[in-house]
Amino acid sequence: MREREREVVRARGHENVTARHGSTLEVTSDDWLTPAGDCILAVEADRVPADFDDAFVEACRDPEATITVTLTATTESGETYEETITGRGDPELSFENERSHVGRTSDYVDDRTVLVGGSAAAGDLDRDLVDALADGADLRFELVVDVE
């Protein structure tokens, strides 16, 4: 197995987080969120896909790659909620977007896509984690890629 590559993004929840979308989840660098953004988990991301290291991007382009996303929400009082989602890489992943990270349960790829074939979407997440994000919790969005 090649060395694991890792990227960490920090963002924060928002009062309009509902996390109801059935096929995607998103973390954005935008500083706002409308109620229509039902896939968005957090705003004000400190990094975007275009910031990721070339070695990470290259590893994610391997169709045999496993990409694991760990979402860790931490409230002001120090409570933490964590969830892990696994997906896979794709040769079409570009990591060129300068705004948003999108995980997908489908095979669809655009410049925002950071994994395909995900084991969960926003609507599948633990509601305690979602409630914490709706209350403005900090989010640690960690992506780890493993290639056989």
Side-chain angles (χ1 to χ4, degrees):
M1 181 179 289
R2 276 200 262 175
E3 185 175 318
R4 293 177 123 195
E5 298 291 338
R6 173 184 323 265
E7 293 287 352
V8 176
V9 177
R10 297 189 187 285
R12 68 171 184 81
H14 186 279
E15 64 187 19
N16 288 330
V17 168
T18 61
R20 297 276 178 215
H21 202 277
S23 63
T24 64
L25 59 83
E26 180 175 344
V27 174
T28 183
S29 63
D30 292 344
D31 62 358
W32 50 271
L33 170 60
T34 69
D38 65 350
C39 66
I40 298 176
L41 305 178
V43 297
E44 295 184 21
D46 66 350
R47 301 178 71 223
V48 295
D51 295 330
F52 288 175
D53 186 76
D54 290 344
F56 178 86
V57 171
E58 192 56 38
C60 288
R61 288 183 177 148
D62 186 320
E64 301 300 316
T66 298
I67 301 171
T68 304
V69 170
T70 303
L71 303 163
T72 307
T74 305
T75 67
E76 246 181 57
S77 63
E79 292 176 275
T80 61
Y81 302 92
E82 188 172 285
E83 186 135 1
T84 301
I85 297 162
T86 58
R88 67 180 188 285
D90 187 282
E92 299 299 315
L93 292 176
S94 71
F95 291 88
E96 293 174 347
N97 195 274
E98 296 188 0
R99 227 172 117 198
S100 299
H101 311 266
V102 177
R104 303 181 187 281
T105 59
S106 70
D107 292 332
Y108 178 78
V109 173
D110 67 12
D111 71 335
R112 302 177 311 149
T113 307
V114 295
L115 69 85
V116 296
S119 59
D124 301 312
L125 297 176
D126 179 84
R127 293 293 107 182
D128 289 337
L129 182 142
V130 172
D131 290 345
L133 291 171
D135 286 340
D138 291 328
L139 179 69
R140 184 175 189 272
F141 180 73
E142 180 184 44
L143 299 100
V144 176
V145 60
D146 290 298
V147 181
E148 290 294 325

